Amino acid sequence: MPILKLTDICKDYIQGKEPVHVLKNINLTVEKGDYLAIMGPSGSGKTTLMNMIGCLDVPTTGTYELDGKNLKDYSDDDLAEVRNKYIGFVFQNFYLMPKMEAVDNVALPLLYADVPLKERRARAEEALKAVGLGERIHFLPSQLSGGQCQRVAIARAMVTKPALLLADEPTGALDTKAGNQIMEIFRKLSDEGMTIIMITHEPAIAECADKTYHILDGELRTQPDGPKVGGDHNG
């Protein structure tokens, strides 16, 4: 059973009195353990697609199934629960709490999941050790480099053991060396079986994934100039 299946997903926004078609009949099936990148220029719809996959937005039409569950009639509270249980997020700008130590930043999703304090801290420390920050668990974000802050964000995303890790331009705020270190962590997570979907505009970063899709004018393609991905022949 696929971990994620999008079928004929469309997303429209009203601008003035006219609808703007941001996503156009997106079809995508992702199997457990897949590691894929989605590339696209600014305004192509890639962030909207990421928000859709991350249950931060809902489609105008179409079907989204996550881990076999059709999310069509889920309430905002239901979607929030899905995000906390099934999805880990890594963003370009880290979004760490500035006055909280690394270990507490990482433990935050477990707090929302009502995990007891002792277990929260143990799992957060384990996640930080997994990304090479075992000696910096008590550092504040201001005491860490950009690459280290992104590693904290990755630890936070993986601490709940999510079914799906979503990364939106995860190296966009980093230098090349730090970006390569983040990609090494993603490769290790992928090799361990984690499902990863990464949004990027950088070809070198996309090449780190096992499969690359392109989104142009709201349509998903396997090649920049290739045919639109259809429901019966996507990967």
Side-chain angles (χ1 to χ4, degrees):
M1 181 178 65
I3 192 67
L4 178 156
K5 187 174 183 180
L6 306 180
T7 306
D8 294 329
I9 291 288
C10 296
K11 182 63 181 182
D12 301 337
Y13 293 106
I14 301 297
Q15 195 171 64
K17 293 185 178 180
E18 297 296 322
V20 177
H21 306 297
V22 181
L23 297 179
K24 305 170 185 175
N25 296 103
I26 299 288
N27 290 280
L28 179 66
T29 299
V30 178
E31 302 292 342
K32 185 176 180 181
D34 280 355
Y35 179 12
L36 60 93
I38 299 175
M39 296 190 69
S42 178
S44 61
K46 64 182 187 294
T47 298
T48 301
L49 178 58
M50 177 65 85
N51 289 342
M52 204 72 58
I53 293 172
C55 298
L56 296 168
D57 201 352
V58 294
T60 304
T61 58
T63 303
Y64 178 14
E65 297 172 70
L66 182 64
D67 200 26
K69 300 174 179 63
N70 188 334
L71 306 185
K72 180 176 175 57
D73 296 318
Y74 275 37
S75 67
D76 288 346
D77 287 345
D78 292 336
L79 291 174
E81 186 175 340
V82 167
R83 286 194 300 272
N84 194 54
K85 183 176 180 181
Y86 289 97
I87 303 172
F89 294 92
V90 179
F91 299 101
Q92 177 177 343
N93 295 321
F94 322 137
Y95 294 116
L96 302 179
M97 304 296 287
K99 296 183 179 180
M100 293 175 64
E101 295 179 351
V103 66
D104 295 318
N105 266 288
V106 173
L108 206 51
L110 300 176
L111 172 65
Y112 298 141
D114 295 325
V115 175
L117 174 61
K118 187 175 180 180
E119 182 182 348
R120 286 202 307 268
R121 292 188 68 86
R123 286 171 60 177
E125 289 182 18
E126 180 184 357
L128 283 165
K129 289 175 183 175
V131 297
L133 291 179
E135 296 180 355
R136 289 176 168 80
I137 61 174
H138 296 301
F139 282 43
L140 297 172
S142 60
Q143 298 171 307
L144 300 171
S145 68
Q148 289 169 340
C149 283
Q150 191 61 296
R151 284 196 243 171
V152 174
I154 293 171
R156 180 184 59 193
M158 57 187 270
V159 75
T160 58
K161 298 179 172 62
L164 179 63
L165 181 68
L166 298 183
D168 190 359
E169 301 284 4
T171 63
L174 307 178
D175 61 32
T176 301
K177 181 180 178 181
N180 289 339
Q181 291 172 342
I182 296 304
M183 288 301 97
E184 289 173 6
I185 293 172
F186 278 20
R187 171 47 59 191
K188 181 174 182 289
L189 292 173
S190 175
D191 290 345
E192 292 171 353
M194 182 167 284
T195 308
I196 302 173
I197 299 178
M198 177 172 62
I199 295 285
T200 182
H201 68 277
E202 300 179 64
I205 296 300
E207 287 176 3
C208 297
D210 296 328
K211 186 183 299 184
T212 301
Y213 289 92
H214 298 263
I215 187 164
L216 295 169
D217 298 324
E219 296 182 346
L220 198 64
R221 308 167 188 268
T222 54
Q223 298 293 333
D225 55 354
K228 179 178 171 181
V229 175
D232 297 327
H233 55 273
N234 54 324

